[in-house]
Amino acid sequence: MDVVYASLRRRRPEPARAGEVAEVVGALWAHALPSDGLEHATARSEDDRIDLLLYLLTRTPTPLHPAAPGAVQRAGALLARCHRASPALYRRYLAPNADTDRRSG
C-alpha cells in the first residue's frame, strides 16, 4: 500500500465547517475510479487548508502496462477530478497543484 499526503488550500482562510472533513472524503469516494486504487482516506481541516492522507493500492508495472502511473500521479488525478466535479470543493478550495502539494511516503 502506498500513502500519499496532499493538501487542498482554501480560497479564503476560515474555520472548518461542521461536516466539512466528511464532505471532502465523501467527494473522494464519489469520484474515485478503480484504476485510482483508493483504499482509505483520512482528512484534517486547518484554517487555510485541508490535509489528506490517501492510502492507495500499490501498482507495479507489468509487461502489459509498463508505464503504470505511480501513487502520486493517481492521487493527483483523483484530486483534480474531485475538484472539477464537486461544486463544494470547487467553491471552497483552490485547484490542486501537482508540483507542490503532494508527497509520497
Side-chain angles (χ1 to χ4, degrees):
M1 184 170 294
D2 294 315
V3 180
V4 178
Y5 164 82
S7 289
L8 291 173
R9 302 264 174 218
R10 293 185 189 280
R11 291 186 184 275
R12 290 175 303 283
E14 61 187 15
R17 298 176 188 178
E20 182 177 351
V21 168
E23 183 178 28
V24 171
V25 172
L28 288 171
W29 282 112
H31 300 291
L33 301 174
S35 59
D36 296 327
L38 184 63
E39 286 287 299
H40 184 68
T42 62
R44 186 180 81 192
S45 185
E46 300 291 337
D47 288 347
D48 63 336
R49 69 188 186 281
I50 190 159
D51 295 326
L52 302 159
L53 285 178
L54 305 176
Y55 297 81
L56 306 170
L57 289 173
T58 300
R59 305 271 193 221
T60 55
T62 65
L64 293 176
H65 299 98
V72 173
Q73 290 78 19
R74 289 183 284 135
L78 173 57
L79 287 172
R81 189 178 323 116
C82 286
H83 189 266
R84 284 190 309 271
S86 170
L89 265 63
Y90 184 81
R91 281 191 310 269
R92 198 172 297 140
Y93 302 100
L94 298 171
N97 181 333
D99 295 330
T100 60
D101 289 344
R102 285 179 287 288
R103 294 181 287 270
S104 181

